[in-house]
Amino acid sequence: MKIDKNVENDGVIFMSIKGEDKGDGGAPAKEPAGGSDCSGSGGDVTILAIESSCDETAAAVVRNGREVLSNIISSQIALHTVYGGVVPEIASRKHVEKINGCIRAALSEAGVTLEDIDVVAVTYGPGLVGALLVGVSAAKAISFAQNKPLIGVHHIEGHISANFIENKDLEPPFVCLVVSGGHSHLVVVKDYGEYEIIGQTRDDAAGEAFDKVARAIGLGYPGGPKIDAAAKEGNPDAFTFPQAKISDAEYDFSFSGLKSAVLNIINQAKMQGEELNQADVAASFQKAVVEVLVGHAIKACKEYGYDKLAIAGGVASNTALRTLMEKECTANGIKFFRPSPVLCTDNAAMIGAAAYYEYKKGVRFDLDMNAVPNLPLGDRERRFHAGKA
Ligand code: KG4
Ligand code: ZN
């Protein structure tokens, strides 16, 4: 996979992602099994997908759910770094400035025009409301002006669907560990668009824990990639951090105790005038998080009887998580699927992949679609509130 990067005058990084890694499948895009064809023409379905739920403005053109014709990401991360986290007002304003350019670039790189697009898809939740509204407004405007069907996509369902892009043979049912900045969910993907949540976090999301611990040990924002890099130089056994087990919900996660344990070590060292080895703390913290995530996911596969496991979300790009998950899957006879790192973090290609299966199910949204900042995962009822199903 090739990433063309260009830093713009305002510090925003414009990226064009080209080509697809082999992944675990590698076969050419084919019409996946299941779902009746309601594309009218009975042929290819070309989707323009838009994502703006946090600090990435993204647009992509995706054919038949798995073939990415273009994938444009405009990342504001550098702008938010000085504040130590995403500033919602700045994010919304940048989305407004960047969205048309991203859409134009996505169409041009795919070699298509708006007339060639069959469906307009957009993330409508969860996320920052002001940020979501920019993508939702753009998608509604294009849908109205071009008279094309509109589909709202759940951001996390998008993350899960990123697995379909490089793994052409992956089909439900499978278990998916979704770990992002706002979510830590263990789900059974029963069918396209059908999810059963079997575990979730009781407090912080995994990515949130990475971000908070990174800030505490002085690595700054964005925490995940910085801890990932620092941990490579550290000793994962330097500290033993707690791994929470929740007795009445064995697949749930809790990361706040782990975060407090790291803070305690930092305070203790300060009081004793000792200098902590940043890399050792990063590596030991990362090990504690990764062992819990992998342990829960493997246990779920075995107990629920699934032999396919996928990972999704920003934290799924973590090197230690990918390595340990791969090792444990191999040891337990489970087939492991993971998107390339650039498809784990926010992008619009994953939204196009998820939208395709919604489209095949006949889901259509009206122009009164709104951004829903706290949209729940897996609740198909929400579609009746947001539009016709
Ligand atoms: O999925 P994502 O891009 O946005 C959300 O939907 O939240 O995930 C962002 C989160 C952040 O918390 C970030 O620190 C974390 O994913 N992250 C990582 C890595 N890359 C991003 N966490 C651990 N290791 C990484 N390499
Ligand atoms: Zn995300």
Side-chain angles (χ1 to χ4, degrees), residues 44-67:
D44 288 340
V45 180
T46 306
I47 298 183
L48 170 66
I50 298 169
E51 153 67 39
S52 69
S53 65
C54 192
D55 58 350
E56 261 98 24
T57 324
V61 177
V62 180
R63 186 169 286 156
N64 299 333
R66 302 201 182 215
E67 192 189 345

Side-chain angles (χ1 to χ4, degrees), residues 6-197:
N6 179 34
V7 182
E8 301 184 345
N9 291 340
D10 55 2
V12 167
I13 303 169
F14 179 92
M15 286 182 274
S16 166
I17 295 109
K18 295 195 180 96
E20 290 173 16
D21 276 0
K22 266 248 155 183
D24 300 89
K30 65 171 171 89
E31 193 70 3
S36 63
D37 191 339
C38 53
S39 62
S41 63
D44 288 340
V45 180
T46 306
I47 298 183
L48 170 66
I50 298 169
E51 153 67 39
S52 69
S53 65
C54 192
D55 58 350
E56 261 98 24
T57 324
V61 177
V62 180
R63 186 169 286 156
N64 299 333
R66 302 201 182 215
E67 192 189 345
V68 178
L69 304 187
S70 63
N71 190 10
I72 304 293
I73 302 173
S74 176
S75 170
Q76 309 171 6
I77 276 190
L79 305 192
H80 299 281
T81 300
V82 281
Y83 303 99
V86 177
V87 182
E89 178 68 16
I90 295 177
S92 313
R93 284 167 187 267
K94 275 294 156 195
H95 285 313
V96 171
E97 285 176 30
K98 302 292 175 183
I99 195 139
N100 285 344
C102 286
I103 294 170
R104 238 179 261 127
L107 292 169
S108 130
E109 289 210 358
V112 298
T113 65
L114 283 177
E115 282 76 47
D116 302 320
I117 296 295
D118 298 307
V119 180
V120 184
V122 64
T123 304
Y124 75 110
L128 301 169
V129 69
L132 287 165
L133 275 170
V134 178
V136 165
S137 306
K140 290 205 291 194
I142 296 171
S143 159
F144 176 68
Q146 295 290 324
N147 196 21
K148 305 279 161 124
L150 176 68
I151 294 182
V153 174
H154 189 289
H155 181 73
I156 295 301
E157 296 183 11
H159 273 302
I160 294 169
S161 304
N163 280 286
F164 297 134
I165 295 171
E166 293 159 298
N167 304 301
K168 309 297 183 198
D169 61 346
L170 175 61
E171 287 185 18
F174 58 91
V175 171
C176 188
L177 172 74
V178 190
V179 272
S180 72
H183 291 79
S184 296
H185 280 115
L186 199 49
V187 302
V188 175
V189 181
K190 296 174 130 182
D191 195 352
Y192 293 105
E194 301 284 344
Y195 308 94
E196 183 190 346
I197 300 171

Side-chain angles (χ1 to χ4, degrees), residues 124 154 157 193 195 197 375-385:
Y124 75 110
H154 189 289
E157 296 183 11
Y195 308 94
I197 300 171
L375 189 65
L377 173 68
D379 175 9
R380 293 196 72 82
E381 276 300 300
R382 68 193 154 73
R383 298 199 169 94
F384 292 93
H385 299 300

Side-chain angles (χ1 to χ4, degrees), residues 247-333:
S247 52
D248 60 333
E250 55 180 339
Y251 296 112
D252 277 3
F253 305 102
S254 167
F255 297 111
S256 68
L258 169 58
K259 180 188 67 193
S260 303
V262 175
L263 294 178
N264 284 342
I265 283 192
I266 296 170
N267 289 336
Q268 258 170 26
K270 260 192 205 147
M271 282 190 315
Q272 289 162 0
E274 288 168 7
E275 199 164 316
L276 268 186
N277 182 322
Q278 216 182 29
D280 283 352
V281 180
S284 305
F285 160 78
Q286 180 175 270
K287 180 183 173 193
V289 175
V290 164
E291 283 186 351
V292 168
L293 295 176
V294 172
H296 280 35
I298 298 287
K299 190 165 187 228
C301 282
K302 282 161 67 171
E303 288 194 4
Y304 281 77
Y306 292 101
D307 62 358
K308 288 185 278 184
L309 173 62
I311 54 173
V315 183
S317 62
N318 182 268
T319 322
L321 174 64
R322 295 165 84 89
T323 306
L324 187 61
M325 197 69 102
E326 171 110 65
K327 183 170 162 241
E328 289 300 315
C329 280
T330 306
N332 287 282

Side-chain angles (χ1 to χ4, degrees), residues 155 159 180-182 207-208 210-211 223-225 228 313-315 317-318 344-346:
H155 181 73
H159 273 302
S180 72
E208 199 178 348
F210 269 95
D211 293 336
D228 195 343
V315 183
S317 62
N318 182 268
C344 288
T345 45
D346 290 349

